[in-house]
Amino acid sequence: MNLYLCVMENTENNNIHNNQIFPLIKNMKTLFISPLFIVSRSKIGLNRNKFPNLSVDEVKIPLFSYNFLMHPFLFPFFLMLSVPILLFYIKKNEINTIHCRNLLSSVLAVTIKKYFYNNINVISDFRGHYPEEGVILNRWKHNSTSFRFWKWLEKKSLIHSTSCTFISNSMKSYYNEIFPRDDYFFAPAIVDTKYFYFCPELRNEIRNKYRITDDEIVYIYTGSYGQWHDLGVFYSMLEAHIKEYSIESYRVFILSGQKSEQYSEYEDMHSTLTIKVAPHEVNKYLCGADVGVLPGTQKTSISYDLLYKTMVSSKVEEYFCTGLQVLSNPRIGEVKALSELTIASVVKFDRSSRGAFYQDIFSSTVVGKLYERLYQID
């Protein structure tokens, strides 16, 4: 039996889990080993999460949420708590393959593989660069003891996993330099193509609602901003694009619950509508727009540069699947590579066919079939 393992992530109202995990786990056992204590900027509370409509097992252990667990001095305590849980679960359910959601899940699974179940298959699913993210979030400094400890565990996961998947081809290339292997695979973040697709009728609905004329260009950004995406960069890119292409008439949609006092002048200047919409309505606004924007930030460091070179935001995949043209910070190299897949093609793509092209890359069905093939590895 196959097991999907997710360790020490906050499971309360986690949209990443809703969008990236649950569509993949319908036909397999799933185990969350979760923190009992959830830490935010303002308080510490208990993790009261439950999964009422899913066959998901969750065991809470007395540690803080993932951000704090990553310090090395807590690692032995984490193993003491989590190894017996996973061993019991493997034996009870006759698990032969473990699909690991994050680095800590991989570390736990390869520990089990090395010391207890040599024949178990471990698929390490690299969705990010946790050591570098720790630097960006001020958990530790680059090349500190904590940083080097997690880089060491990262390499151990590469070495001892049965196979590894990566969120982008550039990330796959990066890890292939750290530890070369032939069985590395590209497995992008998934897009639920039932909800993200181009529809001319939805486009007309939105443009009629806001009285947008045919010659007006609509720029759109979805999601929050702050740590990873900066509104100042957003408006700088917007102004440069408008000037380069001599765009005379345009609108700006920002689908976010945030309002920025700092950039209110820019919002007025650029006819910006900042609104919060229900998740099922996002596709409608993407269809009504013409250009999806991915601004990134101006912050530079070894860690930021690596993340921007190798990471892909799921929001940009949603842009692609609705056929939008994408205006991206040039630092985000993987977006350029994805855009060139259709630009360099001999096929002339209209918006519908461009969206369908990317749906064939990012849909949960396509990515799920890749994982199913990996589960068959002996």
Side-chain angles (χ1 to χ4, degrees), residues 111-124:
T111 300
I112 296 293
K113 179 179 176 66
K114 185 175 181 181
Y115 295 106
F116 300 97
Y117 286 94
N118 295 330
N119 294 326
I120 203 164
N121 294 322
V122 175
I123 300 170
S124 289

Side-chain angles (χ1 to χ4, degrees), residues 233-250:
V233 176
F234 172 85
Y235 283 113
S236 295
M237 290 171 55
L238 192 71
E239 290 170 352
H241 192 264
I242 290 165
K243 183 177 180 180
E244 180 180 357
Y245 292 96
S246 302
I247 295 171
E248 295 182 359
S249 184
Y250 63 92

Side-chain angles (χ1 to χ4, degrees), residues 315-356:
K315 75 168 92 276
V316 81
E317 295 181 356
E318 294 165 1
Y319 294 168
F320 280 126
C321 287
T322 54
L324 283 168
Q325 298 291 341
V326 177
L327 174 61
S328 175
N329 189 319
R331 296 175 65 196
I332 308 175
E334 193 67 21
V335 174
K336 180 181 179 183
L338 288 167
S339 297
E340 289 175 348
L341 291 176
T342 51
I343 293 172
S345 174
V346 296
V347 178
K348 186 174 181 180
F349 289 92
D350 60 19
R351 181 157 177 185
S352 293
S353 59
R354 187 167 62 246

Side-chain angles (χ1 to χ4, degrees), residues 82-92 112 116-117:
S82 56
V83 166
I85 294 170
L86 186 53
L87 284 174
F88 172 79
Y89 204 85
I90 290 171
K91 186 173 182 179
K92 178 184 176 183
I112 296 293
F116 300 97
Y117 286 94

Side-chain angles (χ1 to χ4, degrees), residues 122-168:
V122 175
I123 300 170
S124 289
D125 202 352
F126 284 77
R127 306 283 89 187
H129 300 281
Y130 290 102
E132 284 76 14
E133 288 172 18
V135 174
I136 290 171
L137 297 174
N138 296 315
R139 297 175 194 154
W140 47 69
K141 296 186 181 299
H142 186 77
N143 273 337
S144 65
T145 300
S146 293
F147 178 84
R148 286 185 281 111
F149 173 75
W150 282 98
K151 292 301 286 186
W152 176 74
L153 288 176
E154 190 177 65
K155 186 172 183 178
K156 290 295 182 184
S157 294
L158 295 172
I159 294 170
H160 296 293
S161 295
T162 310
S163 58
C164 300
T165 63
F166 303 93
I167 202 170
S168 72

